[in-house]
Amino acid sequence: MNIINPVVQEYVNKYYRPQNDALNALREECEGKRIPIILKSTETMLSVILKTRSPKRILEIGTAVGYSTIFFANICGQCKITTIERNEESYEEALKNISAFGLEKRVNCLCGDAMEIITTLVQRMKEQNLEPFDFIFIDASKSQYKDFWENTMKLTHDGGLIVCDNVLLKGSTASSQYDVTGRHKTNIKRMREFIEYIKTQECAETYLLSEGDGLTVSIKRNLT
Ligand code: SAM
């Protein structure tokens, strides 16, 4: 079941503006192969956030084949990006795409489990040889969002942003009636717990948006 009115969606998508032809071609290729990349409306929302914020350092959890990574690099012309992908095939494909866009020097693509890599990054930050990230994008295993969010919060500064994608799980976070097959009960339960959790966290001000497949935007607070 599609919870988004398809007529409205089609109308909005008509006004979607790709960054450039090459990125649009990569989107079409990914969509053709059913690789789950950010939706057009999510990309539009992120464009507004990124253009007004101009982050210098970005961390992404869930690279897939690098579509969103390349989009970030394009829209924030000076930024450096660290992106994490655990699937080796996707990682190799991402390296190829990043290189085809000439972005090897600005993108550090890491292959491995995000929680393990985040733990290493937190350690490096404690040892003070890693600068904090200005913008963190979480778009990986939905059942791990709480752990990703809690730990990447340590990797940003006051005022830094953490955006999580797909938090509405095609509407089923709001109502289980949208989980027609009943196969996503665990993910739904975990996502609801995650949203309840971040809404009560003092360390950030969090907004829940229905754009795309649902996004949370958390702004880290100064607690001192
Ligand atoms: N951000 C990408 C884009 O829009 O182009 C799409 C990412 S896709 C939705 C999610 C990716 O996260 C998958 O390729 C999956 O292999 C990866 N992933 C899931 N859990 C992960 C984990 N714990 N550590 C690293 N990567 C993970």
Side-chain angles (χ1 to χ4, degrees):
M1 193 185 301
N2 190 349
I3 57 152
I4 299 162
N5 181 320
V7 177
V8 175
Q9 191 64 68
E10 201 184 319
Y11 178 77
V12 171
N13 281 347
K14 246 184 16 193
Y15 291 92
Y16 162 77
R17 283 190 305 172
Q19 288 291 305
N20 54 51
D21 290 347
L23 198 58
N24 200 36
L26 182 57
R27 168 176 283 286
E28 282 176 4
E29 188 189 326
C30 291
E31 287 175 352
K33 291 181 182 166
R34 293 181 172 270
I35 296 167
I37 61 168
I38 48 169
L39 295 172
K40 287 177 178 170
S41 50
T42 305
E43 184 179 318
T44 303
M45 171 63 98
L46 290 174
S47 300
V48 176
I49 296 174
L50 294 167
K51 284 212 172 184
T52 49
R53 280 275 177 150
S54 306
K56 299 268 182 300
R57 290 175 46 80
I58 294 179
L59 173 66
E60 177 179 53
I61 316 297
T63 321
V65 297
Y67 176 82
S68 51
T69 319
I70 296 165
F71 157 70
F72 294 148
N74 263 291
I75 202 152
C76 308
Q78 303 301 314
C79 75
K80 293 251 162 95
I81 303 173
T82 298
T83 182
I84 307 171
E85 174 55 53
R86 72 176 168 195
N87 180 290
E88 280 185 30
E89 221 175 286
S90 304
Y91 166 76
E92 293 297 338
E93 202 57 37
L95 289 185
K96 275 192 220 149
N97 288 327
I98 289 161
S99 157
F101 279 78
L103 293 168
E104 308 95 313
K105 290 209 176 110
R106 290 172 51 210
V107 178
N108 183 17
C109 190
L110 304 171
C111 187
D113 177 68
M115 267 319 297
E116 284 175 23
I117 293 174
I118 291 166
T119 307
T120 310
L121 294 176
V122 170
Q123 191 56 39
R124 277 186 53 202
M125 197 159 283
K126 276 192 194 140
E127 290 159 3
Q128 306 206 316
N129 61 355
L130 183 74
E131 274 184 63
F133 295 95
D134 309 306
F135 178 85
I136 297 172
F137 185 59
I138 298 177
D139 187 18
S141 162
K142 308 308 162 201
S143 61
Q144 288 181 286
Y145 270 25
K146 182 168 177 280
D147 287 342
F148 292 150
W149 191 91
E150 229 176 6
N151 286 282
T152 55
M153 188 54 75
K154 298 172 191 161
L155 294 172
T156 186
H157 47 73
D158 296 341
L161 290 188
I162 302 186
V163 174
C164 299
D165 197 13
N166 308 108
V167 297
L168 288 180
L169 299 171
K170 301 196 166 100
S172 55
T173 306
S175 169
S176 299
Q177 66 172 305
Y178 296 115
D179 179 25
V180 187
T181 59
R183 269 189 287 150
H184 303 287
K185 281 194 186 119
T186 307
N187 268 357
I188 294 168
K189 182 171 172 283
R190 289 215 170 174
M191 193 57 87
R192 286 177 185 163
E193 285 167 359
F194 167 66
I195 290 173
E196 284 295 321
Y197 166 79
I198 53 173
K199 289 294 285 177
T200 59
Q201 292 308 292
E202 285 293 310
C203 62
E205 195 172 321
T206 294
Y207 298 89
L208 172 60
L209 308 174
S210 60
E211 204 58 55
D213 190 26
L215 298 165
T216 54
V217 179
S218 305
I219 308 169
K220 187 167 178 175
R221 271 195 187 118
N222 181 347
L223 290 177
T224 57

